[in-house]
Amino acid sequence: MEGTLIPVKSLHGHTIWVQELIFSKNMDELKIISTSSDETVRIWDAGTGKQMGEPLLGHASGTRGIAISRHGTKIVSGGDDGKIIMWSAETRTIIRIIEPRMSRDHIEIISLSFSPDDKTFASASGDGTCTVWDSETGELLLDFDDHQDIVGTVAYSPSGVKIASGSHDHTIRIRNTLTGERLTQPLLHADAVRSIVWPPDGRQLISACEDGQIYFWSAPTGTQLGSSLQAHLGDINCMAISPSGSLLASASDDHTARLWNTVTRQPFGRVLQHNDEVYTVAFSPGGQFVATGGRECIIFLWDISQEGVIATAAVSVSLLHSAPIPHFAGDADQPRSSSDSLAGSPRPSIPASDVPSDGAQDMSSLPIAPAGLVDSEVPPISSSSTLTRDALQGAGRVASPHGIAPVPASPSSQSFFKRLFSKSDTHVASAEHSKPRKSTFFYKLLHRKRGGTDRRHNPDDTQTN
């Protein structure tokens, strides 16, 4: 199909939707680890496309969040049952189970993230909380409950100094990892925040929303960098950033995953077309491969190593608002001093005339293929094992995105969120936090509107495999 890339492998085994996946590379063996609504965690050999051993069982309901320690020795998984299970990556056995806190509603663990030093990990939950845990003892260290709705994504900064959480309350909160102190005002979006990623230098934060937009932020100040990018025609469920930071991948309900140049914000390569909603995307450690999964119950592996030399004319660029991303001198990933606080001040976008140049080169002269993009992690794939994916040939294309424009937050929603700025409920964990959380009126209202949780994570009787 013109304008679409063909996957090199398809990994079959999950019986219901694939919720999240990550890569792991240990001793030159590239693996994929996935969670699913079928209540399992599965480990795959990316070279052969085969499942490695039996599924990891321990959750009493669908599995969601997944993370692996930097050294590759521990895996943590979260589920709809509210449990967090720590596994030994080597023996595939359970090290520890962290049970859900008592009497909480919407206890599902949606997102997990290890700190760069592996000493702690963070979890994001449907009950509106973000928590930090000791990865050795399982002790609860910090509990953030200032979001007003589902917290669907959490990520440590590359240095581990900061932690960011994104919520269906349309905000991102950036905090000091050790103290929990909020470092900026809430980062406001036009819709529910579904995914956040940190580029390797930690100077920026990139977020994605249910309205199909991608936002770029200054991590030290919380200032939006240029206009948002209208990237998809449906919800963006997940993003991933390449190891070099050159590429961004996004997965959407519009049946596609797409690649973007993070400097020019232009499409990169061909569309990764699917037959159904795409819930998760990940880059391999060397950047040569992208893996995707979703409602098709299949994991697809894509080789993007040649995409830089393929014309991208088949991918419409009219949906873009392509302002270059500025690089500020001194925007290093460091905690801000109290004098830099934005409390009580507006958070305007930077006018185009005020965006400083990085002094490298004009945007028009940037190469399509970022240097150092690819690796050679997986053995050569024989022609007999290459997936033809004939089923996709009749799937049809995504409707033209011409005419799509970013949806700004309404004045009423902006004024409503003013009251969120003053709330900063960060707690050092104690026995007190085993007590049920008292839901606010707004929390109850939003959960009633959205059915209490993220619809993509709840297969119903209409699910077909």
Side-chain angles (χ1 to χ4, degrees), residues 167-425:
S167 171
H168 284 210
D169 68 8
H170 300 196
T171 72
I172 288 174
R173 316 278 175 137
I174 302 177
R175 303 177 177 88
N176 180 289
T177 302
L178 295 179
T179 67
E181 175 192 4
R182 265 211 327 245
L183 302 177
T184 68
Q185 289 185 8
L187 279 54
L188 294 184
H189 298 68
D191 210 328
V193 181
R194 298 293 292 272
S195 184
I196 51 179
V197 294
W198 294 86
D201 64 6
R203 296 179 177 180
Q204 297 171 30
L205 186 66
I206 305 174
S207 57
C209 290
E210 284 191 352
D211 60 5
Q213 294 190 72
I214 296 175
Y215 293 73
F216 300 82
W217 309 88
S218 165
T221 67
T223 303
Q224 186 175 343
L225 304 177
S227 300
S228 56
L229 166 65
Q230 188 70 49
H232 287 273
L233 300 178
D235 298 5
I236 300 177
N237 297 311
C238 183
M239 291 190 303
I241 196 160
S242 65
S244 68
S246 304
L247 294 179
L248 184 71
S250 54
S252 172
D253 280 359
D254 68 8
H255 299 193
T256 70
R258 296 176 183 267
L259 303 174
W260 309 91
N261 183 308
T262 56
V263 175
T264 66
R265 303 189 190 178
Q266 297 290 320
F268 178 90
R270 290 170 288 181
V271 175
L272 312 185
Q273 184 71 54
H274 294 68
N275 279 329
D276 214 324
E277 296 171 354
V278 190
Y279 294 156
T280 181
V281 62
F283 281 95
S284 61
Q288 179 180 354
F289 296 96
V290 168
T292 58
R295 196 164 176 140
E296 294 163 287
C297 313
I298 303 169
I299 297 171
F300 295 105
L301 189 65
W302 314 77
D303 185 347
I304 63 169
S305 60
Q306 299 302 310
E307 290 306 285
V309 297
I310 295 173
T312 59
V315 182
S316 172
V317 298
S318 64
L319 71 166
L320 297 176
H321 305 277
S322 51
I325 303 175
H327 294 270
F328 294 98
D331 269 12
D333 180 19
Q334 299 295 332
R336 300 182 64 220
S337 66
S338 58
S339 62
D340 292 331
S341 173
L342 294 181
S345 62
R347 187 184 47 75
S349 298
I350 301 176
S353 60
D354 295 336
V355 175
S357 168
D358 60 11
Q361 52 186 319
D362 182 78
M363 288 293 111
S364 61
S365 65
L366 284 170
I368 294 179
L373 171 65
V374 302
D375 60 7
S376 55
E377 298 155 323
V378 175
I381 300 170
S382 65
S383 58
S384 61
S385 66
T386 302
L387 179 64
T388 60
R389 220 173 172 204
D390 292 336
L392 274 187
Q393 300 297 328
R397 299 181 188 176
V398 175
S400 171
H402 287 270
I404 297 296
V407 181
S410 65
S412 61
S413 66
Q414 290 176 348
S415 62
F416 168 78
F417 281 116
K418 288 180 180 178
R419 72 180 182 85
L420 296 184
F421 293 169
S422 61
K423 184 178 180 184
S424 180
D425 296 333

Side-chain angles (χ1 to χ4, degrees), residues 433-449:
H433 291 86
S434 294
K435 297 181 180 179
R437 179 187 183 195
K438 184 177 181 180
S439 298
T440 63
F441 169 78
F442 178 56
Y443 182 83
K444 293 176 181 177
L445 179 65
L446 282 178
H447 277 272
R448 185 161 60 246
K449 178 181 177 182

Side-chain angles (χ1 to χ4, degrees), residues 32-79:
I32 296 173
I33 307 169
S34 58
T35 61
S36 168
S37 298
D38 66 11
E39 304 182 7
T40 68
V41 176
R42 299 177 190 250
I43 302 177
W44 313 79
D45 185 317
T48 65
K50 303 296 184 183
Q51 185 175 311
M52 302 177 68
E54 295 298 316
L56 305 186
L57 302 176
H59 289 281
S61 56
T63 54
R64 300 201 188 195
I66 191 76
I68 188 167
S69 61
R70 174 165 292 190
H71 294 99
T73 59
K74 297 176 181 177
I75 300 168
V76 286
S77 61

